[in-house]
Amino acid sequence: MLCEPGPEEWWLDDLATKLGMPPITLHAWASKGWVQGRRLSVPPHRWILHADPDQLAALRERRARPPGWYTHRYWQNAPDAPPADD
């Protein structure tokens, strides 16, 4: 197994710094599958995340959204959701 990031791969902490966000938030996103990566099988089991320029832009957009935005959109657009009070 490769223990160093390859092309367009980042250590989790380095990507968090690049995106200007807390590493714990990026860790949660990796755990949820919102950012693709791999976790090393050797201690300290660090994350190596994949992010090309398009993915960096998508992650910045996700970071700019308010908390709960994606959950709200999911429920708002669900087929059996009650009508929105606009």
Side-chain angles (χ1 to χ4, degrees), residues 9 20 31 43 54 68 77:
E9 289 186 329
S31 297
D54 292 336
N77 296 329

Side-chain angles (χ1 to χ4, degrees), residues 57-71:
L59 292 170
R60 283 188 183 100
E61 181 179 322
R62 179 176 285 275
R63 175 71 177 142
R65 301 273 186 217
W69 189 86
Y70 288 92
T71 305

Side-chain angles (χ1 to χ4, degrees), residues 9-79:
E9 289 186 329
W10 304 75
W11 291 115
L12 185 143
D13 288 342
D14 294 342
L15 183 55
T17 299
K18 174 82 171 171
L19 296 171
M21 62 188 296
I24 192 68
T25 302
L26 194 55
H27 183 272
W29 290 5
S31 297
K32 293 176 183 177
W34 294 352
V35 59
Q36 299 302 308
R38 55 192 165 94
R39 192 160 184 193
L40 297 180
S41 61
V42 295
H45 306 288
R46 295 175 66 189
W47 280 95
I48 295 178
L49 303 176
H50 179 79
D52 62 24
D54 292 336
Q55 291 164 324
L56 285 172
L59 292 170
R60 283 188 183 100
E61 181 179 322
R62 179 176 285 275
R63 175 71 177 142
R65 301 273 186 217
W69 189 86
Y70 288 92
T71 305
H72 176 76
R73 296 274 303 171
Y74 172 79
W75 288 108
Q76 189 177 32
N77 296 329

